[in-house]
Amino acid sequence: MPRIKLPTWFVLLLPAIIILAAVVLIPLILSLYSSFTPYRLTRPETLYKWIGTYNYEKAAKDINFWKAFGRTILLLTVALNLEMLLGLGLALLVNKVTMGQRMLRTLMMFPMMFSPILVGFQFKFIFNDNVGLVNNALQSLGFSDVAIPWLVDGKLAFFSIVFAEMWTSTSVFAILILAGLYAIPRDPMEAAKVDGCTPWQTFRHITLPFIMPFIYIALAIRSLDVARAYDIVQIMTNGGPARRTELLWTLIGRTGYVDAKMGYANAMGYISIFLAIFFTVYFFKKLNAARTELGMAG
């Protein structure tokens, strides 16, 4: 019987293929299959009962799912816009610095080094009603006589989550925009000075178009992070009070692991994945349009 000789490239890639299949492909297929079943963690036999698209139809009619969906979109919109504006301002300031720029770039990356779980605990303490740093500072300075319920009031809790997201991820925008500022050719800037353009005109017509591709890259990266936000929200508010900060992935986690409805949770998870894909495709289209405007498409 002749021996089958595998191609060398396949043999070299085989360990990686096996690991990817075990860690990524098989769980994805299993979770997709279970989203078409009434699978409950407490009843393993339900994994083998096929119910078609019932879980997806149930999610489409679930008011709690759509409320969580809306809050996720709101967090995505508010957090991304604020992070972009703050990151742009920070990058422009750092770009003007002539001494210690390396140290400033290192400091900008500092918040990114923290685990989201650690950031959640950090800001849960900072916004704590009784011993939180924010309430203590406001009361010490005379701005407030009573403790403000940052994590108990629905609107304030949402603001606290946005603030935590901004603190940990504004540096993503700042670093990428700073890279774009370094890449701007000097000739257009010099020509603008010679023509007597104001700083705003130079920024609006030269600087901004050149850094827009970098901004869209940052938006694409962060949209994926925010669309699947879980750690910070789970630690800070656990989706409360009264589910007023419940996002898609905290709802999915509660449905799958607390209520044990894993099939339904997986169906909601795949719907949220489509949301993340939509925003990624949208920002990459914007990126390609900005590159085309600069003559960089190809």
Side-chain angles (χ1 to χ4, degrees), residues 96-262:
K96 294 291 184 182
V97 174
T98 56
M99 294 182 61
Q101 200 173 97
R102 287 186 178 179
M103 183 184 70
L104 289 175
R105 291 200 301 266
T106 303
L107 290 175
M108 281 197 308
M109 295 179 66
F110 189 68
M112 297 169 56
M113 301 176 187
F114 285 90
S115 163
I117 294 177
L118 184 58
V119 173
F121 278 114
Q122 172 184 309
F123 280 94
K124 185 176 183 179
F125 170 73
I126 289 174
F127 288 108
N128 185 275
D129 296 356
N130 300 315
V131 297
L133 296 178
V134 174
N135 275 333
N136 283 334
L138 291 175
Q139 291 174 8
S140 298
L141 295 172
F143 291 113
S144 177
D145 297 328
V146 295
I148 299 174
W150 294 102
L151 301 178
V152 178
D153 181 87
K155 294 180 180 178
L156 292 177
F158 188 82
F159 164 80
S160 303
I161 291 169
V162 170
F163 190 88
E165 286 283 350
M166 288 168 53
W167 181 85
T168 191
S169 299
T170 295
S171 53
V172 174
F173 284 87
I175 291 168
L176 286 172
I177 293 172
L178 191 59
L181 292 173
Y182 290 155
I184 296 176
R186 296 294 98 189
D187 292 344
M189 305 294 286
E190 296 294 336
K193 284 185 179 180
V194 172
D195 292 341
C197 293
T198 63
W200 167 248
Q201 289 173 326
T202 303
F203 172 78
R204 172 66 182 84
H205 298 287
I206 299 176
T207 304
L208 190 58
F210 269 100
I211 64 174
M212 282 309 296
F214 296 88
I215 291 176
Y216 286 128
I217 291 172
L219 286 170
I221 294 171
R222 283 294 296 144
S223 66
L224 285 173
D225 288 338
V226 178
R228 56 186 174 82
Y230 176 81
D231 310 73
I232 291 177
V233 181
Q234 183 68 18
I235 297 298
M236 289 182 67
T237 65
N238 194 25
R243 294 194 170 189
R244 291 184 181 177
T245 58
E246 187 99 275
L247 303 181
L248 274 178
W249 284 100
T250 57
L251 175 62
I252 291 167
R254 187 190 307 278
T255 303
Y257 296 107
V258 178
D259 300 337
K261 299 177 181 178
M262 188 57 71

Side-chain angles (χ1 to χ4, degrees), residues 265-277:
N266 284 331
M268 292 192 290
Y270 274 95
I271 294 174
S272 65
I273 287 172
F274 293 138
L275 167 68
I277 292 173

